[in-house]
Amino acid sequence: FLQGQKKLEEISRLPGITMDGKAVELCINVGNVEEIKNAKVKDIEGIGLLRSEFLYMESSHFPTEQEQFEAYKAAAELCGGDVIIRTLDIGGDKKLPYYSFEREDNPFLGWRAIRISLELQEVFKTQLRAILRASHYGKLKIMFPMIISVEELQQAKEVLEHCKQELRNENFLFNENIETGIMVETPAAVVNIEDFAKTADFFSIGTNDLTQYLLAVDRGNQKILGLYNSFHPAVLRSIHKVIQTGHKYNIKVGMCGEFASDPAAIRILLGMGLDEFSMSAKEIPAAKNIIRNSNYKEAIKLAERVLAASTIKEVMAIVQDSPNS
Ligand code: PEP
Ligand code: MG
């Protein structure tokens, strides 16, 4: 077993490229300082998702601009590649000890993520200013969570422009062309993906929430766990639509939900043309191993067959039938 483990670690230093030469990016998701420090490892191509919540949840107050700046700067400097910072994604099951949230009957459909940022503008501005200032020290990108409408993205970008102007006036250096993208994790974002393609610089599919919202199945409810399945044709076809539309508009499409590291899903996603797979660092070697032993042309055929299937059972039968595509 140890030998196998070592082999996998060696594999993680090799490029994520299929046997017939198709390259994809393998990035990591990070959610605390320790994971960011580990991102220093050379073989990591980038951070596909920096869950900025930890800065807020591990603090006794809304973190200041300087506190956040230092954390984002460290992430940018430790990781040579792109670092996608997701703006605050609280609400739902994630609360802050120093802020009182009103009780909600349906918190996952309630006041969370971008909805909070757009309302608590000072909190949002503090975060955006910190990210902008840190963008001078590495390749940072900004990603907005739980987006359901183009207006939200436009409003978020307006606040960003406002912050840029402030920083210019204060003579701070930052990346003027910092990219802004969205988490595609609501059905509305999928349905209107073409409109988002005209406003966003990149997409990252959040299958954890997308599966929950698309199937109307609570991702944390044990009683209906059996219904929570990202191999559901509605989820697979949504993913495909997002990738296709992104590519039509020359937009890079990544995935930072857990589906991106599911051994049974990787070849399907590869065949659909997913550009970037982002997952926890420990899952990188196994995922890379699968990619490096795959044939892209076969994966395309696999994806086509899977997309034609109308039940999860059919999908799984097709996947099991083609283990080496
Ligand atoms: C997702 O929803 O897929 C995702 C990556 O975000 P989180 O799990 O933090 O909601
Ligand atoms: Mg999510």
Side-chain angles (χ1 to χ4, degrees), residues 29 49 51 53 86 89 93-94 108 112 143 145-146 183-185 204-213 219 228 255-259 278:
N29 294 347
L49 169 64
R51 291 184 162 101
E53 297 79 75
R86 178 175 72 184
D89 185 10
D93 57 345
K94 293 180 230 160
F108 272 106
R112 61 169 294 200
M143 177 156 75
M146 272 292 289
M183 291 279 301
V184 180
E185 56 184 345
S204 186
I205 306 171
T207 48
N208 307 342
D209 275 317
L210 185 59
T211 303
Q212 152 166 277
Y213 292 125
R219 67 192 250 193
Y228 184 90
M255 179 178 288
C256 57
E258 278 168 33
F259 203 48
S278 196

Side-chain angles (χ1 to χ4, degrees), residues 261-278:
S261 60
D262 186 321
I266 291 175
R267 287 192 173 104
I268 300 174
L269 298 170
L270 177 70
M272 285 185 189
L274 189 72
D275 303 298
E276 179 221 274
F277 295 66
S278 196

Side-chain angles (χ1 to χ4, degrees), residues 181-195:
I182 62 163
M183 291 279 301
V184 180
E185 56 184 345
T186 65
V190 174
V191 173
N192 290 349
I193 198 70
E194 184 128 13
D195 301 286

